[in-house]
Amino acid sequence: YLSVYDVTRRDTFVKLDNWLNELETYCTRNDIVKMLVGNKIDKENREVDRNEGLKFARKHSMLFIEASAKTCDGVQCAFEELVEKIIQTPGLWESESQNRGVKLSNKDEGYGGGGACGGYCSML
């Protein structure tokens, strides 16, 4: 589950609770990986502080990152961390359909284990 808000518009941040309520209402899994992304960090007129986003993410057990879709800052990191967390949650990809063409490996080829983005993302 990926939830994105605009750091320059407080109303988008305030509505996050509504989206999480929808998720809790309709999602049948309890091991879902959730990430919160504060977008548009390239803009000057910020209305939502980074610490406010981080606090919200921690409260709801979400990964957190700030990014800019315009400059691409943090975008790749967000997806890499999300995929890494999904891989670390075997219940999401281990199932009776395991033999349908995708095979995951535990080999650490060139990976230092400290997070794909060198600690840029806040892992919870």
Side-chain angles (χ1 to χ4, degrees), residues 29 31 86-99 102 104 106:
R29 303 190 68 100
D31 58 354
I86 290 169
I87 290 170
Q88 292 171 357
T89 310
L92 294 176
W93 50 268
E94 284 182 348
S95 70
E96 63 280 352
S97 63
Q98 225 173 350
N99 297 322
V102 176
L104 299 173
N106 288 331

Side-chain angles (χ1 to χ4, degrees), residues 29-99:
R29 303 190 68 100
N30 60 0
D31 58 354
I32 190 166
V33 175
K34 299 179 285 188
M35 176 177 267
L36 179 63
V37 179
N39 191 33
K40 297 190 180 180
I41 60 170
D42 56 286
K43 292 195 167 189
E44 298 290 325
N45 55 337
R46 180 184 277 261
E47 292 183 5
V48 182
D49 184 72
R50 183 187 198 295
N51 288 331
E52 202 172 352
L54 184 58
K55 183 179 176 183
F56 183 92
R58 285 185 176 151
K59 178 182 174 186
H60 297 284
S61 301
M62 301 174 84
L63 301 170
F64 177 73
I65 190 170
E66 287 194 326
S68 168
K70 183 177 183 178
T71 66
C72 296
D73 186 27
V75 175
Q76 182 173 344
C77 179
F79 285 100
E80 287 175 358
E81 293 291 346
L82 189 60
V83 169
E84 182 179 330
K85 190 66 174 175
I86 290 169
I87 290 170
Q88 292 171 357
T89 310
L92 294 176
W93 50 268
E94 284 182 348
S95 70
E96 63 280 352
S97 63
Q98 225 173 350
N99 297 322

